[in-house]
């Protein structure tokens, strides 16, 4: 796996956004308690998806978008439903916790993460298509972050 500057920049931005998310910053929202409960449940579901996706990726796991040299294309488990379940889990975790905390700042960081993940996956998928010729077919049939039902 040859790590290039784009890999490092994307992962660095992601790391900075993760750090920013942890900062307790003002700008709270008012939600009904049941809505905060839905946020907490969403966060827990995101955490479960994240852990399962990490376990399913196993030895193929890398923080960088460029796949490892010895990587194989995983198409089962959560990867049978979506192409990037780790990002799905992170987005649900962060979004749900933002709602639970009623934090406008955390929601904004979650939105920035979604934007970053959108561009990061575009780059990652180019790398995957180069390494795995059948990735193009896989990509057509699976959603990026959420399942395709059509």
């Amino acid at each position: 796996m040859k790590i290039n500057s784009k890999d490092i920049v994307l992962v660095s931005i992601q790391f900075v956004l993760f750090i920013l998310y942890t900062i307790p910053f003002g700008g709270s929202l008012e939600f009904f308690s049941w809505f905060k409960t839905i946020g907490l449940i969403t966060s827990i579901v995101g955490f479960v998806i994240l852990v399962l996706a990490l376990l399913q990726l196993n030895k193929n796991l890398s923080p960088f978008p460029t796949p490892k040299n010895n990587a194989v294309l995983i198409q089962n488990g959560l990867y049978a439903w979506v192409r990037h379940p780790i990002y799905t889990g992170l987005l649900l975790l962060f979004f749900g916790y933002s709602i639970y905390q009623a934090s406008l700042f955390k929601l904004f960081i979650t939105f920035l993460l979604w934007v970053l993940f959108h561009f990061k996956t575009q780059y990652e998928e180019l790398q995957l298509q180069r390494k795995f010729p059948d990735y193009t077919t896989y990509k057509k049939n699976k959603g990026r972050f959420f399942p395709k039902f059509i």
Side-chain angles (χ1 to χ4, degrees):
M1 171 170 84
K2 183 179 185 285
I3 304 299
N4 62 42
S5 60
K6 193 164 187 176
D7 285 287
I8 293 168
V9 167
L10 289 167
V11 171
S12 297
I13 293 170
Q14 182 176 327
F15 181 73
V16 168
L17 289 173
F18 285 172
I19 296 295
L20 287 173
Y21 188 86
T22 66
I23 297 172
F25 196 71
S28 68
L29 302 167
E30 291 296 320
F31 290 128
F32 296 109
S33 62
W34 61 267
F35 196 67
K36 290 177 79 171
T37 302
I38 290 171
L40 183 60
I41 292 167
T42 302
S43 186
I44 291 168
V45 167
F47 179 76
V48 169
I49 289 171
L50 174 63
V51 170
L52 288 173
L54 289 169
L55 291 171
Q56 290 169 358
L57 201 53
N58 200 359
K59 296 177 199 171
N60 297 297
L61 183 62
S62 169
F64 300 105
T66 301
K68 292 180 171 182
N69 291 334
N70 60 345
V72 295
L73 182 60
I74 305 296
Q75 298 182 54
N76 55 5
L78 293 174
Y79 293 87
W81 294 91
V82 293
R83 301 188 310 263
H84 302 282
I86 291 173
Y87 299 144
T88 302
L90 285 167
L91 289 170
L92 290 173
L93 173 67
F94 281 44
F95 176 75
Y97 192 71
S98 299
I99 297 298
Y100 176 73
Q101 290 288 303
S103 172
L104 188 59
F105 178 73
K106 288 185 186 317
L107 277 172
F108 179 68
I109 297 298
T110 302
F111 172 75
L112 293 178
L113 274 170
W114 176 76
V115 171
L116 173 69
F117 289 161
H118 177 78
F119 289 107
K120 187 177 176 187
T121 56
Q122 285 181 334
Y123 172 68
E124 184 174 345
E125 289 181 344
L126 288 173
Q127 306 303 314
L128 290 165
Q129 286 172 329
R130 289 181 186 141
K131 184 163 183 70
F132 306 109
D134 53 340
Y135 190 83
T136 303
T137 303
Y138 172 71
K139 181 180 175 181
K140 287 179 186 174
N141 297 319
K142 308 299 174 206
R144 183 182 306 230
F145 300 125
F146 298 99
K148 274 187 180 179
F149 293 109
I150 298 174

